[in-house]
């Protein structure tokens, strides 16, 4: 089986630190969430989400982030 990897890049464009979460969801898989506890102004962070065994062609599967 083939795995899929969703990469989410989050940037704080505000002037205050923020706390939030990133998520990814794919049909027939549970939603995955990751906490971003404190992202300073002007900083970016990357969160990756892995979905195992998505089938023959993961490029045809819709992912929401």
């Amino acid at each position: 089986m083939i795995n899929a990897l969703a990469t989410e890049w989050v940037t704080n464009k505000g002037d205050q630190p923020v706390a939030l979460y990133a998520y990814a969801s794919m049909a027939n898989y549970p939603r995955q969430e990751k906490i971003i506890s404190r992202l300073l102004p002007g900083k970016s962070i990357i969160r990756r989400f892995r979905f195992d065994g998505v089938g023959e062609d993961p490029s045809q599967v819709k992912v929401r982030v």
Side-chain angles (χ1 to χ4, degrees):
M1 284 298 221
I2 297 175
N3 302 323
L5 183 67
T7 303
E8 186 173 351
W9 186 311
V10 180
T11 302
N12 180 356
K13 293 186 176 184
D15 58 357
Q16 299 292 321
V18 294
L20 36 91
Y21 68 94
Y23 78 91
S25 62
M26 180 182 288
N28 302 319
Y29 288 87
R31 176 177 162 141
Q32 297 179 32
E33 296 182 3
K34 296 188 178 183
I35 295 172
I36 301 171
S37 60
R38 187 164 190 248
L39 188 58
L40 298 174
K43 298 295 181 179
S44 298
I45 194 164
I46 296 173
R47 291 291 183 255
R48 291 184 177 88
F49 303 90
R50 181 181 168 141
F51 297 92
D52 293 328
V54 298
E56 295 295 321
D57 188 2
S59 69
Q60 301 301 312
V61 180
K62 292 182 181 179
V63 177
R64 175 177 275 176
V65 293

